């Protein structure tokens, strides 16, 4: 009979749980359809369903409202208006200018006016449409251009200056001036907004909702129902996507469900249908730019001025921080000595726009890329060469307009690597030859870089907490303040804790984010999720490891001061190799604490919002992309033929997840800049409020040749295992697609005319630009 062969011992140097590709911790559950989302939670007996009654006017006073037809509709249990809110009628995250329910004046088409509660979801939705409301219509502002002309803002405009812009501009040999419009974008998460509120004893409330910010939901619900925060528990196991749309704007849905459940003392679920979701919720901010830049004959920028007006919508929401990040990312990878950067959050009678992946960074950076693209064409040079001419330096020309010194600049080396691997120069020549012999189909090529600052704009938000429990059988349970929306934060935190305790991933499990476990958490946003929560979880696990190590020394002695080592599910001490679970059991009997809390606050951050100066970012992530397109100049149709992306993820915690994030961000950003057009009619109603009228990229829009690689570069800052954030920065990579399209259009006029191309570059917009080039040639 054969004896079983013991597995070979693994050397400590060969064992690690971080820095390796591992499947998403819920991958199997996703594939099997067993992953629980909020709408999958089994409903308690007596659960009711809510819907919102929405405004049909962009700006009006409500002069009369008959809700009797709503109350008499089949299955209706209750109807609530603003007068029924016992606490604070507000869900604004910063400025308290965003009512849960309109109290008499409506400010956009889709604004909630009342809540109807019925026995079924369908009955609630049908009943909500039976209200008879009379309006006295008021003038409405719909575009950022109109807002600027009317001096209509939700916040005072902001300005960042450095040097003497006017003098530098007047002395510049060459000047470029112009305007640009870049549209917004619907988050289009697969799982829509949803909240399930369940009454608990002593006026308590459990709210299970799809949110990136459980603590904010806790505060909003508590204020709305008039109780302290400790009576409201918010839980989120996972979201089916968020992209920023569930950072602040899940509050309306959580508060509405909470108000109804609190009053009725029955469970209430509020699930938004896609049309209602898109009508009610805010999007990525669209931007209107006016710019003027002075430069020399080599293409070096000498002075830059830009005035950015955002479509904020009817309330402030997160427009202030979004505008701040746009101002701080206008420079992108370029040193700008003398600048005047302005941003105004235009108040419009549209949905209150909010966070979206990139949080204003992409909108800020695309303006300078557009300007450099124009400078290159004006000088008859390759845009890559102009970009290089203006790159930040490493020992000089390395301070941003807001005063932060750049100490980790790798953009030149990263650019050189991608230029070579993408065969940029050879392909440029091949495209020139193709276009010379092709009168209708034109190809375009573009190389665009990125630099993206990582941290919340608001310094105090850069903190996180975590709990780690080790059970007697050696298994580990982790809870942290971040939320999982498919991006893999739970997988990365799981890897961090497993690595700290020397365990395989199967020994560690992550629980739902819960305000009763980790309090006062920041939103999972600003690409800080893994950075902050990974550090907090590592801190908790380290404390447990140190306690276990000290106990192991008591049991087995000290190995000449050598550290106790944890790896391969064992504890190695003084020549002994002890199973982790075995040591844990002994430690429990010896009353060693086997759980711990952890905390992390990002160091060295400071920001003065009045002077717009400081050190707002912990570090920068870098990247670059090369895209090649072909455009049909007769129809405006186009296709992305090949995309090469190189992204700086530092020492990646999980390369497979990070590459997936880069790929997803690229396609999502490409959709924003090419197909995803938001359109309001003259009455202020969003007409692109369903998948049938709003075009997100499909599989056929992805390039057949898609090459994504992570750049080998350890973070100079003490981030979690020297990794870098990968959520938002890669969304800037598809700038290359937009500018490749512009390059192809430019070929129509022999690259002598700057195509007036706005975003999204739909087929109609492409044809408009083609016509403009033909007329100017």
């Amino acid at each position: 009979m054969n004896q079983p062969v013991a597995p070979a011992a693994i050397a400590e140097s060969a064992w690690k749980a971080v820095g390796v590709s591992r499947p998403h911790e819920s991958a199997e559950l996703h594939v099997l359809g067993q992953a629980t989302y909020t709408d999958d939670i089994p409903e308690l007996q007596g659960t009711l369903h809510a819907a919102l009654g929405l405004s049909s006017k962009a700006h009006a006073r409500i002069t009369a409202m008959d809700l009797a037809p709503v109350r008499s509709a089949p299955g209706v249990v209750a109807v609530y208006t603003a007068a029924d809110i016992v606490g604070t009628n507000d869900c604004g995250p910063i400025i308290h200018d965003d009512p849960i329910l309109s109290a008499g004046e409506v400010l956009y088409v889709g604004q909630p006016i009342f809540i109807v509660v019925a026995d079924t979801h369908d009955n609630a939705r049908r009943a909500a449409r039976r209200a008879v409301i009379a309006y006295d219509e008021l003038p409405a502002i719909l575009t950022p251009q109109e807002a600027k002309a009317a001096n209509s803002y939700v916040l005072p405009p902001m300005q960042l200056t450095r040097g003497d812009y006017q003098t530098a501009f007047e002395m510049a040999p060459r000047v470029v001036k112009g305007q640009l419009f870049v549209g917004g974008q619907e988050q289009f998460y697969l799982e829509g907004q949803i909240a399930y509120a369940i009454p608990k004893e002593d006026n308590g409330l459990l709210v299970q909702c799809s949110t990136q910010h459980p603590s904010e939901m806790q505060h909003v619900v508590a204020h709305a129902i008039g109780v302290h925060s400790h009576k409201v528990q918010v839980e989120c196991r996972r979201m089916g996507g968020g992209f920023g749309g569930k950072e602040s704007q899940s509050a309306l849905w959580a508060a509405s469900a909470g108000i109804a459940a609190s009053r009725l003392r029955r469970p209430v679920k509020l699930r938004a249908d896609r049309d209602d979701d898109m009508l009610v919720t805010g999007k990525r901010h669209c931007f209107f730019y006016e710019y003027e830049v002075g430069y020399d004959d080599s293409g070096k920028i000498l002075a830059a001025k830009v005035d950015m007006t955002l479509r904020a919508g009817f309330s402030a929401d997160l427009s202030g921080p979004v505008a701040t990040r746009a101002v701080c990312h206008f420079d992108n990878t370029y040193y700008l000595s003398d600048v005047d950067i302005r941003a105004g959050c235009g108040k419009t009678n549209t949905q209150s726009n909010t966070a979206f992946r990139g949080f204003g960074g992409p909108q800020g950076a695309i303006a300078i890329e557009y300007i450099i693209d124009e400078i290159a064409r004006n000088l008859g040079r390759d845009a890559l060469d102009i970009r290089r001419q203006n790159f930040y330096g490493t020992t000089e020309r390395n301070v941003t307009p807001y005063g932060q010194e750049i100490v980790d600049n790798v953009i030149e080396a990263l650019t050189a690597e991608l230029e070579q691997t993408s065969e940029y120069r050879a392909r440029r020549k091949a495209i020139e030859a193709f276009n010379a012999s092709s009168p209708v189909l034109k190809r375009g090529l573009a190389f665009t870089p990125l630099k993206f600052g990582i941290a919340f704009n608001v310094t105090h938000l850069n903190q996180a907490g975590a709990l780690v429990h080790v059970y007697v059988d050696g298994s580990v349970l982790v809870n942290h303040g971040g939320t999982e929306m498919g991006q893999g934060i739970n997988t990365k935190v799981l890897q961090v804790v497993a690595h700290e305790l020397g365990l395989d991933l199967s020994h560690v499990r992550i629980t739902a984010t819960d305000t009763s476990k980790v309090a006062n958490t920041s939103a999972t946003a600003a690409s800080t999720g893994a950075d902050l929560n990974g550090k907090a979880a590592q801190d908790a696990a380290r404390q447990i490891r140190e306690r276990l190590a000290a106990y192991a020394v008591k049991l087995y002695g000290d190995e000449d001061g050598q550290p106790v080592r944890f790896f391969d599910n064992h504890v190695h001490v003084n020549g002994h190799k002890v199973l982790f679970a075995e040591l844990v059991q002994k430690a429990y009997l010896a009353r060693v604490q086997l759980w711990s809390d952890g905390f992390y606050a990002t160091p060295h951050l400071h920001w003065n919002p009045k002077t717009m100066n400081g050190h707002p970012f912990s570090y920068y992530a870098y990247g670059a992309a090369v895209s090649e397109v072909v455009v049909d100049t007769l129809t405006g149709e186009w296709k992305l033929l090949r995309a090469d992306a190189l992204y700086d993820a530092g020492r990646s915690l999980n390369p497979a997840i990070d590459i997936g994030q880069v790929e997803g961000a690229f396609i999502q950003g490409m959709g924003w800049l090419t197909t995803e057009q938001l359109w309001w009619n003259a009455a202020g109603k969003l007409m692109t409020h369903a998948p049938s009228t709003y075009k997100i990229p499909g599989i056929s829009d992805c390039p057949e040749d898609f090459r994504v690689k992570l750049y080998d570069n350890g973070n100079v800052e003490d981030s979690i295992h020297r990794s870098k954030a990968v959520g938002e920065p890669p969304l800037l990579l598809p700038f290359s697609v937009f500018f490749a399209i512009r390059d192809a259009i430019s070929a129509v006029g022999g690259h002598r005319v700057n195509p007036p191309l706005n975003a999204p570059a739909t087929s109609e917009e492409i044809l408009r630009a083609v016509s403009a080039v033909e007329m100017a040639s």
Side-chain angles (χ1 to χ4, degrees), residues 289-312:
Y289 310 82
E290 295 172 292
Y291 59 86
E292 55 181 32
V293 171
Y295 60 101
D296 64 18
D297 293 338
S298 72
K300 181 180 177 182
I301 294 175
L302 304 175
K305 179 179 181 179
V306 64
D307 192 332
M308 303 181 279
T309 305
L310 299 64
R311 176 165 23 208

Side-chain angles (χ1 to χ4, degrees), residues 97-120:
D97 60 349
D98 194 343
I100 298 166
L101 299 175
S102 169
E105 181 182 9
V106 293
L107 296 168
Y108 74 99
V109 175
Q111 183 169 11
I113 300 173
F114 62 89
I115 305 166
V116 56
V117 187
D119 56 350
T120 69

Side-chain angles (χ1 to χ4, degrees), residues 660-730:
Q661 284 291 290
V662 174
E663 292 172 342
F666 189 98
I667 299 302
Q668 187 173 53
M670 181 181 76
W672 164 49
L673 294 172
T674 60
T675 65
E676 298 184 41
Q677 186 173 36
L678 296 167
W679 178 62
W680 287 262
N681 66 14
K685 181 179 180 180
L686 178 69
M687 303 304 291
T688 49
H689 57 80
S692 58
T693 53
Y694 184 80
K695 182 177 174 6
I696 64 171
I699 189 66
S700 60
D701 297 303
C702 300
E704 292 184 11
D705 193 348
F706 197 8
R707 310 181 190 192
V708 175
K709 183 182 176 184
L710 300 181
Y711 183 67
D712 186 16
N713 176 42
N715 197 344
V716 298
E717 293 296 323
D718 182 26
S719 59
I720 185 70
H721 291 284
R722 301 286 174 174
S723 64
K724 287 191 177 184
V726 75
E728 295 175 299

Side-chain angles (χ1 to χ4, degrees), residues 120 142 243 267 279 295 316 351 372 393 587 669:
T120 69
L142 300 178
F243 307 116
L279 275 174
Y295 60 101
Q351 296 82 350
I372 285 181

Side-chain angles (χ1 to χ4, degrees), residues 547-560:
R547 294 187 199 119
L548 288 173
Y551 179 67
V553 169
K554 283 185 180 179
L555 287 182
Y556 302 106
D558 193 357
E559 189 178 354
D560 297 326

